[in-house]
Amino acid sequence: MSSQPDQPIELYRPTWIEIDLDAYARNVDALASRLPQDSRVIAVLKANGYGHGSVQLAQACADRIAMIAVALLEEAIELRRAGINTPILLLGPLTTNQVPVAIAQDIAMGLTGPESLDALVRAHSSLGGAPARVHLKLDSGMGRMGFMPSDLATLADVINANPWISVEGIYTHFANASSPADPYTEVQMERFGRMLGQLRDAGVSAPLHHTSNSAATLRGFVSRGHFVRVGLSLLGGEPLDTGDTRLERVLTWRSSIVRLKEIPAGHPVGYGTTFIASRPSRIATLPVGYADGYNRLLSNRGEVLLRGRRAPVVGRVSMDLVTIDVTDIGLAAPGDPVVLLGRQGDEEISAEEIAAKIGTIPYEVFTSISERVPRVYRTGEDMLVKSGVHPAIERGTGD
Ligand SMILES: *Cc1c(COP(=O)(O)O)cnc(C)c1O
């Protein structure tokens, strides 16, 4: 893989996320090895690879997967500009203005409904006959994007009348695959099958079908030859509401103690004085806050790892700082490494744990880690490839 020159990460406050690209690659292989014959992985890398860095993840998995899927045109272009030549599917929806750019960048387009189809046909007059590779998205019960059964006759007419539309794939998306107790995924599979039949009878078919996200894939909803669109699972997240299907951890969010003080009983900590020490306490400050994506709902609720043990967040999480109570961790000292998310010693704080505390899902915990947190990429024995460096700091070093 291409390695960027080392950046002056030492000029940053000690807060960063570390991404284990080897673990990501192993997860891709582990997941692929469970698929039926002829089925392959589409790595979903939208939203900057769920905050992990789409270019780096793409480089780590490019020769192991069939395709990359992203949500936005700019996400696809970023990958192409970084030299990623893997097939890319733009999940969309599409606008007319985007179509020529997508075609020029060799990006397959998800057609998510009559509006996308119109956009494609309208754009085509300016394309000089270039073929457009598309994947048809069918609504088998998600109710969000996709063609409804009643749209299919017109869809087939338009496709049959425009031979430059090359239907490469047909797909659908499951609404509740994360809940194994809910039979709705089976219902959607059946509807998808019926809709494929409707299209086939109207003369439209595709060499490729893909239906399953991480949850459905891990539950075995993969027909032979169907591809799977997997995001969270490859990042070591748990896609099932109740389950233990996690692959290897990929991301660790690190920080360290920059201020350690003794406060007497009765002394408050933080905005709103929501925490008042009930005993003489040692309070440590970490240089990370809600502007970094450490959710403010973790005020007086979160925990971090310090010296392999859990230390509670006390007081409000502020924009740039978090305070933790280290009274019970006797040896705690300034400069001590702290883990906000990930493993330290025998303890782990997972994205699922944080998500449960703040009433969300691990996806949002990952995608909330903001751009101002540097990304450090680990690959090989001890090699660190550093990225996400702020231009002001690059200039500051005279580079
Ligand atoms: C995000 C997304 C996926 C991936 O979902 P995971 O649960 O992360 O595997 C698959 N398909 C579509 C259409 C998506 O938007």
Side-chain angles (χ1 to χ4, degrees):
M1 64 174 292
S2 77
S3 81
Q4 292 149 287
D6 266 16
Q7 303 285 1
I9 195 117
E10 64 279 1
L11 291 182
Y12 287 80
R13 66 186 163 149
T15 290
W16 70 97
I17 57 173
E18 204 169 285
I19 291 128
D20 184 341
L21 295 175
D22 297 340
Y24 185 74
R26 285 193 296 272
N27 286 348
V28 172
D29 289 345
L31 188 123
S33 74
R34 298 189 196 177
L35 298 178
Q37 212 180 349
D38 304 324
S39 293
R40 297 190 65 198
V41 172
I42 301 173
V44 178
L45 295 178
K46 60 195 179 192
N48 194 28
Y50 299 16
H52 292 60
S54 62
V55 168
Q56 289 80 4
L57 295 183
Q59 287 168 340
C61 74
D63 52 3
R64 299 171 143 81
I65 58 167
M67 195 181 296
I68 291 167
V70 293
L72 310 184
L73 179 63
E74 57 267 39
E75 294 170 350
I77 292 173
E78 186 185 3
L79 293 172
R80 285 285 182 256
R81 286 210 178 125
I84 306 292
N85 297 317
T86 311
I88 296 178
L89 168 63
L90 176 55
L91 293 166
L94 279 178
T95 68
T96 303
N97 292 338
Q98 292 176 327
V99 172
V101 182
I103 291 177
Q105 300 272 336
D106 193 25
I107 292 160
M109 296 168 279
L111 285 193
T112 55
E115 300 87 348
S116 296
L117 184 65
D118 282 354
L120 179 68
V121 171
R122 254 183 280 120
H124 188 255
S125 54
S126 66
L127 288 176
R133 294 187 296 116
V134 303
H135 292 224
L136 308 179
K137 167 83 169 274
L138 309 185
D139 184 355
S140 61
M142 174 83 169
R144 191 179 61 176
M145 296 208 291
F147 291 90
M148 296 292 285
S150 56
D151 296 322
L152 296 183
T154 310
L155 171 63
D157 286 346
V158 174
I159 288 172
N160 290 328
N162 292 283
W164 52 271
I165 302 178
S166 161
V167 182
E168 194 172 84
I170 305 179
Y171 67 113
T172 194
H173 194 43
F174 295 131
N176 208 12
S178 61
S179 302
D182 185 344
Y184 196 53
T185 304
E186 284 91 337
V187 172
Q188 286 197 260
M189 290 274 279
E190 227 178 276
R191 282 192 198 148
F192 181 63
R194 273 205 302 276
M195 293 174 83
L196 286 177
Q198 253 180 285
L199 281 174
R200 203 181 311 112
D201 292 347
V204 172
S205 62
L208 175 63
H209 298 157
H210 44 96
T211 58
S212 290
N213 57 5
S214 292
T217 301
L218 293 171
R219 290 175 57 200
F221 285 99
V222 189
S223 308
R224 190 171 158 180
H226 284 201
F227 288 11
V228 296
R229 301 183 309 272
V230 209
L232 187 73
S233 182
L234 301 178
L235 299 168
E238 174 57 68
L240 301 185
D241 294 343
T242 53
D244 188 15
T245 63
R246 287 177 58 195
L247 300 175
E248 276 187 67
R249 278 173 303 282
V250 170
L251 182 146
T252 307
W253 193 351
R254 300 186 187 280
S255 189
S256 79
I257 296 178
V258 292
R259 176 82 175 93
L260 181 60
K261 66 170 66 168
E262 316 263 348
I263 61 170
H267 198 82
V269 176
Y271 286 118
T273 63
T274 59
F275 177 85
I276 295 176
S278 61
R279 56 178 178 171
S281 301
R282 301 177 78 218
I283 302 296
T285 302
L286 311 176
V288 60
Y290 62 76
D292 300 298
Y294 195 78
N295 198 292
R296 191 165 168 279
L297 296 174
L298 292 165
S299 300
N300 292 306
R301 298 189 70 190
E303 290 182 326
V304 303
L305 302 180
L306 169 65
R307 296 187 176 248
R309 294 169 59 189
R310 286 171 177 262
V313 170
V314 291
R316 292 245 171 95
V317 171
S318 23
M319 190 182 293
D320 313 300
L321 299 168
V322 167
T323 34
I324 58 173
D325 185 344
V326 302
T327 313
D328 295 328
I329 304 179
L331 292 173
D336 271 3
V338 168
V339 166
L340 308 172
L341 170 53
R343 182 168 281 275
Q344 193 189 57
D346 295 331
E347 276 284 0
E348 185 193 2
I349 291 174
S350 65
E352 290 71 32
E353 176 184 331
I354 293 176
K357 276 192 176 147
I358 65 178
T360 186
I361 50 178
Y363 301 81
E364 193 182 10
V365 172
F366 285 140
T367 58
S368 298
I369 301 173
S370 73
E371 290 294 318
R372 80 173 190 176
V373 179
R375 269 71 171 157
V376 173
Y377 294 93
R378 183 177 287 284
T379 174
E381 285 280 296
D382 52 8
M383 181 185 152
L384 286 174
V385 179
K386 293 158 187 167
S387 175
V389 169
H390 196 281
I393 285 207
E394 284 180 278
R395 278 197 301 277
T397 61
D399 285 350

mmCIF file of all heavy atoms in Angstrom, residues 44 46 50 69 71 91 137 144-145 171-173 211-215 217 229-234 239 363, ligand 1:
data_model
loop_
_atom_site.group_PDB
_atom_site.id
_atom_site.type_symbol
_atom_site.label_atom_id
_atom_site.label_comp_id
_atom_site.label_asym_id
_atom_site.label_seq_id
_atom_site.Cartn_x
_atom_site.Cartn_y
_atom_site.Cartn_z
ATOM 1 N N VAL A 44 -18.655 -1.420 2.051
ATOM 2 C CA VAL A 44 -19.382 -0.150 2.119
ATOM 3 C C VAL A 44 -18.505 0.856 2.875
ATOM 4 O O VAL A 44 -18.182 0.662 4.044
ATOM 5 C CB VAL A 44 -20.748 -0.337 2.806
ATOM 6 C CG1 VAL A 44 -21.475 1.003 2.909
ATOM 7 C CG2 VAL A 44 -21.596 -1.344 2.031
ATOM 8 N N LYS A 46 -19.029 4.396 2.773
ATOM 9 C CA LYS A 46 -19.639 5.731 2.796
ATOM 10 C C LYS A 46 -19.229 6.462 4.075
ATOM 11 O O LYS A 46 -18.745 5.837 5.033
ATOM 12 C CB LYS A 46 -21.163 5.601 2.726
ATOM 13 C CG LYS A 46 -21.760 4.822 3.883
ATOM 14 C CD LYS A 46 -23.197 4.408 3.613
ATOM 15 C CE LYS A 46 -23.735 3.606 4.793
ATOM 16 N NZ LYS A 46 -25.000 2.946 4.479
ATOM 17 N N TYR A 50 -17.203 5.170 7.531
ATOM 18 C CA TYR A 50 -17.752 5.285 8.878
ATOM 19 C C TYR A 50 -16.734 5.993 9.790
ATOM 20 O O TYR A 50 -16.521 5.615 10.943
ATOM 21 C CB TYR A 50 -18.127 3.925 9.474
ATOM 22 C CG TYR A 50 -19.180 3.124 8.727
ATOM 23 C CD1 TYR A 50 -19.536 3.431 7.424
ATOM 24 C CD2 TYR A 50 -19.821 2.056 9.328
ATOM 25 C CE1 TYR A 50 -20.500 2.701 6.744
ATOM 26 C CE2 TYR A 50 -20.789 1.311 8.661
ATOM 27 C CZ TYR A 50 -21.113 1.644 7.368
ATOM 28 O OH TYR A 50 -22.073 0.903 6.701
ATOM 29 N N ALA A 69 -18.881 0.384 -2.163
ATOM 30 C CA ALA A 69 -20.103 1.193 -2.262
ATOM 31 C C ALA A 69 -19.960 2.431 -1.394
ATOM 32 O O ALA A 69 -19.446 2.359 -0.267
ATOM 33 C CB ALA A 69 -21.325 0.384 -1.826
ATOM 34 N N ALA A 71 -22.076 6.480 -0.558
ATOM 35 C CA ALA A 71 -23.385 7.135 -0.633
ATOM 36 C C ALA A 71 -23.373 8.328 -1.577
ATOM 37 O O ALA A 71 -24.371 8.603 -2.237
ATOM 38 C CB ALA A 71 -23.825 7.579 0.767
ATOM 39 N N LEU A 91 -24.433 4.588 -4.204
ATOM 40 C CA LEU A 91 -25.763 4.157 -3.770
ATOM 41 C C LEU A 91 -26.823 5.217 -4.061
ATOM 42 O O LEU A 91 -27.993 4.923 -4.208
ATOM 43 C CB LEU A 91 -25.742 3.811 -2.278
ATOM 44 C CG LEU A 91 -24.892 2.580 -1.902
ATOM 45 C CD1 LEU A 91 -24.667 2.527 -0.397
ATOM 46 C CD2 LEU A 91 -25.541 1.297 -2.389
ATOM 47 N N LYS A 137 -32.305 -0.355 -7.665
ATOM 48 C CA LYS A 137 -32.664 -0.561 -6.264
ATOM 49 C C LYS A 137 -34.163 -0.787 -6.156
ATOM 50 O O LYS A 137 -34.960 0.059 -6.567
ATOM 51 C CB LYS A 137 -32.259 0.699 -5.473
ATOM 52 C CG LYS A 137 -32.817 0.796 -4.069
ATOM 53 C CD LYS A 137 -31.981 0.017 -3.088
ATOM 54 C CE LYS A 137 -32.346 0.295 -1.641
ATOM 55 N NZ LYS A 137 -31.675 1.435 -1.078
ATOM 56 N N ARG A 144 -38.056 3.450 1.836
ATOM 57 C CA ARG A 144 -37.234 4.652 1.783
ATOM 58 C C ARG A 144 -36.875 4.917 0.323
ATOM 59 O O ARG A 144 -37.561 5.635 -0.369
ATOM 60 C CB ARG A 144 -35.995 4.426 2.662
ATOM 61 C CG ARG A 144 -35.171 5.639 2.930
ATOM 62 C CD ARG A 144 -33.974 5.316 3.829
ATOM 63 N NE ARG A 144 -33.073 4.333 3.242
ATOM 64 C CZ ARG A 144 -31.921 3.947 3.811
ATOM 65 N NH1 ARG A 144 -31.561 4.438 4.983
ATOM 66 N NH2 ARG A 144 -31.158 3.065 3.222
ATOM 67 N N MET A 145 -35.846 4.312 -0.170
ATOM 68 C CA MET A 145 -35.505 4.457 -1.580
ATOM 69 C C MET A 145 -35.894 3.172 -2.317
ATOM 70 O O MET A 145 -36.239 2.165 -1.716
ATOM 71 C CB MET A 145 -34.018 4.736 -1.726
ATOM 72 C CG MET A 145 -33.627 6.069 -1.100
ATOM 73 S SD MET A 145 -32.201 6.767 -1.898
ATOM 74 C CE MET A 145 -30.921 5.622 -1.376
ATOM 75 N N TYR A 171 -30.664 -4.739 -6.662
ATOM 76 C CA TYR A 171 -30.457 -4.907 -5.219
ATOM 77 C C TYR A 171 -31.632 -4.404 -4.408
ATOM 78 O O TYR A 171 -32.533 -3.741 -4.918
ATOM 79 C CB TYR A 171 -29.159 -4.241 -4.778
ATOM 80 C CG TYR A 171 -29.077 -2.721 -4.849
ATOM 81 C CD1 TYR A 171 -28.995 -1.957 -3.686
ATOM 82 C CD2 TYR A 171 -29.046 -2.049 -6.074
ATOM 83 C CE1 TYR A 171 -28.872 -0.572 -3.729
ATOM 84 C CE2 TYR A 171 -28.931 -0.670 -6.130
ATOM 85 C CZ TYR A 171 -28.855 0.069 -4.964
ATOM 86 O OH TYR A 171 -28.743 1.437 -5.018
ATOM 87 N N THR A 172 -31.607 -4.746 -3.138
ATOM 88 C CA THR A 172 -32.587 -4.217 -2.190
ATOM 89 C C THR A 172 -31.900 -4.062 -0.843
ATOM 90 O O THR A 172 -30.735 -4.431 -0.680
ATOM 91 C CB THR A 172 -33.832 -5.131 -2.102
ATOM 92 O OG1 THR A 172 -34.883 -4.434 -1.430
ATOM 93 C CG2 THR A 172 -33.537 -6.432 -1.345
ATOM 94 N N HIS A 173 -32.613 -3.470 0.102
ATOM 95 C CA HIS A 173 -32.012 -3.207 1.419
ATOM 96 C C HIS A 173 -32.998 -3.643 2.492
ATOM 97 O O HIS A 173 -34.201 -3.417 2.370
ATOM 98 C CB HIS A 173 -31.709 -1.709 1.529
ATOM 99 C CG HIS A 173 -30.814 -1.336 2.664
ATOM 100 N ND1 HIS A 173 -29.673 -2.052 3.002
ATOM 101 C CD2 HIS A 173 -30.858 -0.298 3.537
ATOM 102 C CE1 HIS A 173 -29.076 -1.467 4.035
ATOM 103 N NE2 HIS A 173 -29.767 -0.409 4.375
ATOM 104 N N THR A 211 -28.192 -8.090 -1.703
ATOM 105 C CA THR A 211 -29.264 -7.730 -0.781
ATOM 106 C C THR A 211 -28.785 -7.477 0.639
ATOM 107 O O THR A 211 -29.374 -6.653 1.326
ATOM 108 C CB THR A 211 -30.316 -8.860 -0.694
ATOM 109 O OG1 THR A 211 -29.668 -10.061 -0.281
ATOM 110 C CG2 THR A 211 -30.995 -9.094 -2.027
ATOM 111 N N SER A 212 -27.739 -8.158 1.096
ATOM 112 C CA SER A 212 -27.516 -8.226 2.539
ATOM 113 C C SER A 212 -26.486 -7.229 3.049
ATOM 114 O O SER A 212 -25.383 -7.122 2.512
ATOM 115 C CB SER A 212 -27.097 -9.641 2.927
ATOM 116 O OG SER A 212 -28.191 -10.507 2.771
ATOM 117 N N ASN A 213 -26.855 -6.523 4.097
ATOM 118 C CA ASN A 213 -25.924 -5.698 4.872
ATOM 119 C C ASN A 213 -25.203 -6.609 5.881
ATOM 120 O O ASN A 213 -25.347 -7.836 5.836
ATOM 121 C CB ASN A 213 -26.694 -4.561 5.561
ATOM 122 C CG ASN A 213 -27.822 -5.081 6.450
ATOM 123 O OD1 ASN A 213 -27.987 -6.294 6.627
ATOM 124 N ND2 ASN A 213 -28.589 -4.170 7.012
ATOM 125 N N SER A 214 -24.465 -6.001 6.805
ATOM 126 C CA SER A 214 -23.707 -6.820 7.769
ATOM 127 C C SER A 214 -24.608 -7.783 8.523
ATOM 128 O O SER A 214 -24.315 -8.982 8.628
ATOM 129 C CB SER A 214 -23.007 -5.917 8.804
ATOM 130 O OG SER A 214 -21.984 -5.169 8.209
ATOM 131 N N ALA A 215 -25.710 -7.264 9.072
ATOM 132 C CA ALA A 215 -26.565 -8.097 9.919
ATOM 133 C C ALA A 215 -27.116 -9.280 9.132
ATOM 134 O O ALA A 215 -27.048 -10.434 9.590
ATOM 135 C CB ALA A 215 -27.701 -7.255 10.493
ATOM 136 N N THR A 217 -25.983 -10.587 6.414
ATOM 137 C CA THR A 217 -24.898 -11.476 5.995
ATOM 138 C C THR A 217 -24.517 -12.417 7.130
ATOM 139 O O THR A 217 -24.384 -13.630 6.936
ATOM 140 C CB THR A 217 -23.665 -10.649 5.571
ATOM 141 O OG1 THR A 217 -24.046 -9.787 4.504
ATOM 142 C CG2 THR A 217 -22.525 -11.548 5.127
ATOM 143 N N ARG A 229 -23.294 -6.338 0.805
ATOM 144 C CA ARG A 229 -22.818 -4.967 1.044
ATOM 145 C C ARG A 229 -22.567 -4.797 2.533
ATOM 146 O O ARG A 229 -23.506 -4.690 3.322
ATOM 147 C CB ARG A 229 -23.873 -3.936 0.604
ATOM 148 C CG ARG A 229 -24.274 -3.995 -0.867
ATOM 149 C CD ARG A 229 -25.262 -2.870 -1.190
ATOM 150 N NE ARG A 229 -26.381 -2.833 -0.270
ATOM 151 C CZ ARG A 229 -27.498 -3.534 -0.430
ATOM 152 N NH1 ARG A 229 -27.686 -4.275 -1.504
ATOM 153 N NH2 ARG A 229 -28.436 -3.468 0.476
ATOM 154 N N VAL A 230 -21.310 -4.816 2.917
ATOM 155 C CA VAL A 230 -20.987 -4.864 4.336
ATOM 156 C C VAL A 230 -20.138 -3.674 4.746
ATOM 157 O O VAL A 230 -19.120 -3.375 4.128
ATOM 158 C CB VAL A 230 -20.191 -6.142 4.672
ATOM 159 C CG1 VAL A 230 -20.469 -6.561 6.101
ATOM 160 C CG2 VAL A 230 -20.514 -7.260 3.741
ATOM 161 N N GLY A 231 -20.566 -3.007 5.808
ATOM 162 C CA GLY A 231 -19.805 -1.891 6.344
ATOM 163 C C GLY A 231 -19.362 -2.165 7.774
ATOM 164 O O GLY A 231 -18.214 -2.498 8.054
ATOM 165 N N LEU A 232 -20.318 -2.096 8.684
ATOM 166 C CA LEU A 232 -20.003 -2.124 10.120
ATOM 167 C C LEU A 232 -19.233 -3.360 10.554
ATOM 168 O O LEU A 232 -18.306 -3.288 11.361
ATOM 169 C CB LEU A 232 -21.309 -2.042 10.930
ATOM 170 C CG LEU A 232 -21.094 -1.902 12.436
ATOM 171 C CD1 LEU A 232 -20.611 -0.502 12.774
ATOM 172 C CD2 LEU A 232 -22.351 -2.227 13.216
ATOM 173 N N SER A 233 -19.654 -4.503 10.036
ATOM 174 C CA SER A 233 -19.065 -5.750 10.491
ATOM 175 C C SER A 233 -17.554 -5.794 10.214
ATOM 176 O O SER A 233 -16.771 -6.295 11.036
ATOM 177 C CB SER A 233 -19.786 -6.887 9.787
ATOM 178 O OG SER A 233 -19.290 -8.096 10.212
ATOM 179 N N LEU A 234 -17.154 -5.246 9.069
ATOM 180 C CA LEU A 234 -15.726 -5.258 8.711
ATOM 181 C C LEU A 234 -14.921 -4.342 9.632
ATOM 182 O O LEU A 234 -13.698 -4.463 9.719
ATOM 183 C CB LEU A 234 -15.544 -4.816 7.252
ATOM 184 C CG LEU A 234 -16.276 -5.664 6.205
ATOM 185 C CD1 LEU A 234 -16.047 -5.095 4.808
ATOM 186 C CD2 LEU A 234 -15.816 -7.118 6.276
ATOM 187 N N PRO A 239 -23.442 -5.726 14.379
ATOM 188 C CA PRO A 239 -24.644 -5.256 13.689
ATOM 189 C C PRO A 239 -25.945 -5.820 14.262
ATOM 190 O O PRO A 239 -27.011 -5.294 13.971
ATOM 191 C CB PRO A 239 -24.437 -5.752 12.253
ATOM 192 C CG PRO A 239 -23.577 -6.956 12.397
ATOM 193 C CD PRO A 239 -22.712 -6.742 13.608
ATOM 194 N N TYR A 363 -22.880 2.674 14.688
ATOM 195 C CA TYR A 363 -22.618 3.422 13.457
ATOM 196 C C TYR A 363 -22.415 4.912 13.777
ATOM 197 O O TYR A 363 -21.503 5.555 13.272
ATOM 198 C CB TYR A 363 -23.808 3.321 12.498
ATOM 199 C CG TYR A 363 -24.185 1.930 12.070
ATOM 200 C CD1 TYR A 363 -24.966 1.109 12.877
ATOM 201 C CD2 TYR A 363 -23.788 1.454 10.826
ATOM 202 C CE1 TYR A 363 -25.336 -0.159 12.464
ATOM 203 C CE2 TYR A 363 -24.156 0.183 10.402
ATOM 204 C CZ TYR A 363 -24.923 -0.626 11.228
ATOM 205 O OH TYR A 363 -25.286 -1.877 10.826
HETATM 206 C C1 LIG B 1 -24.830 1.535 4.735
HETATM 207 C C2 LIG B 1 -25.433 0.535 3.842
HETATM 208 C C3 LIG B 1 -25.006 -0.810 3.892
HETATM 209 C C4 LIG B 1 -24.018 -1.329 4.921
HETATM 210 O O1 LIG B 1 -24.662 -1.561 6.146
HETATM 211 P P1 LIG B 1 -23.856 -2.265 7.352
HETATM 212 O O2 LIG B 1 -24.903 -2.520 8.347
HETATM 213 O O3 LIG B 1 -22.840 -1.264 7.801
HETATM 214 O O4 LIG B 1 -23.226 -3.483 6.819
HETATM 215 C C5 LIG B 1 -25.521 -1.676 2.952
HETATM 216 N N1 LIG B 1 -26.429 -1.264 2.028
HETATM 217 C C6 LIG B 1 -26.869 0.001 1.971
HETATM 218 C C7 LIG B 1 -27.862 0.386 0.935
HETATM 219 C C8 LIG B 1 -26.407 0.941 2.882
HETATM 220 O O5 LIG B 1 -26.856 2.191 2.831
#
